[in-house]
C-alpha cells in the first residue's frame, strides 16, 4: 500500500480497475512491475555501469531514500546483491548545505528554481534525478564528491 502522505507528495495511488489493483499517477494507470522484478531490473542496470561509478546519490538520502531502498531490497532478499553492486551511498543535502549556506530551505524543489530560475516536476523520479544532477554539477565542486 502507498501511504497517504506519499500519495499526496507523488500523486501515486493504487486503484481497482477492472477488478485489478492498478498503480495510477494523477488518476492515470501506469506500467508497474512487482518489487522483485523492479529490484532485478535495477541491479541489472547497475551492473552495466563501470564499478567505479556505482555510487547512489540522493537528496536527503540518508534519512529517506537509503532506508527505503534497503528496506525494499531486504523484502525481496536482494540486499547482498545490492551491496555487491554499489560502492556506496551519498547524500547531497549536507554538501549543498555547506555549499549554499544560510538558505531558509534546502528542499530540492526549492533549490532548483533558486539556482536555475525554473520549476520542475518535483517528486517525479526521472525529473528528480535530472534536477539533482544539475544541482550537483552547478553547486558542488568535484572535491566534495570524491
Amino acid at each position: 500500500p502507498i501511504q497517504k502522505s506519499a500519495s499526496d507528495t507523488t500523486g501515486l495511488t493504487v486503484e481497482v480497475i477492472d477488478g485489478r489493483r492498478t498503480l495510477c499517477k494523477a488518476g492515470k494507470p501506469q506500467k508497474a512491475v512487482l518489487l522483485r522484478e523492479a529490484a532485478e531490473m535495477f541491479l541489472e542496470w547497475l551492473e552495466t555501469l563501470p564499478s567505479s561509478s556505482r555510487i547512489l546519490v540522493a537528496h536527503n538520502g540518508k534519512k529517506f531514500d537509503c532506508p527505503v531502498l534497503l528496506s525494499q531490497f531486504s523484502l525481496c532478499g536482494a540486499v547482498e546483491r545490492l551491496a555487491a553492486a554499489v560502492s556506496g551511498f551519498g547524500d547531497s543535502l549536507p554538501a549543498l548545505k555547506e555549499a549554499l549556506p544560510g538558505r531558509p530551505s534546502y528542499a530540492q524543489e526549492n533549490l532548483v528554481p533558486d539556482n536555475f530560475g525554473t520549476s520542475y516536476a518535483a517528486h517525479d523520479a526521472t525529473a528528480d534525478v535530472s534536477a539533482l544532477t544539475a544541482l550537483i554539477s552547478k553547486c558542488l565542486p568535484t572535491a566534495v564528491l570524491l
Side-chain angles (χ1 to χ4, degrees):
I2 299 174
Q3 294 178 352
K4 182 175 177 355
S5 59
S7 183
D8 291 345
T9 300
T10 64
L12 295 173
T13 58
V14 176
E15 310 291 335
V16 177
I17 299 174
D18 296 328
R20 297 188 66 193
R21 291 171 36 101
T22 304
L23 178 67
C24 296
K25 181 167 178 113
K28 295 182 182 176
Q30 303 294 301
K31 181 180 177 194
V33 297
L34 297 174
L35 175 61
R36 186 176 305 278
E37 185 179 347
E40 180 64 29
M41 291 166 58
F42 182 62
L43 289 165
E44 286 176 2
W45 173 76
L46 277 174
E47 291 163 351
T48 67
L49 303 172
S51 60
S52 62
S53 62
R54 294 186 203 159
I55 299 171
L56 302 179
V57 178
H59 194 69
N60 199 26
K62 183 177 180 181
K63 288 186 178 177
F64 182 76
D65 301 89
C66 270
V68 170
L69 185 69
L70 292 173
S71 152
Q72 297 304 301
F73 270 74
S74 179
L75 285 174
C76 62
V79 171
E80 293 79 17
R81 188 162 165 214
L82 177 65
V86 299
S87 300
F89 295 93
D91 188 340
S92 61
L93 181 58
L96 286 165
K97 281 184 175 182
E98 186 176 322
L100 304 168
R103 293 184 48 82
S105 170
Y106 290 91
Q108 185 169 308
E109 63 260 33
N110 294 326
L111 290 171
V112 169
D114 291 353
N115 281 279
F116 299 104
T118 184
S119 62
Y120 76 105
H123 306 291
D124 172 88
T126 304
D128 280 343
V129 168
S130 295
L132 185 57
T133 300
L135 279 169
I136 288 171
S137 295
K138 178 179 181 181
C139 301
L140 297 178
T142 305
V144 171
L145 300 174
L146 299 177

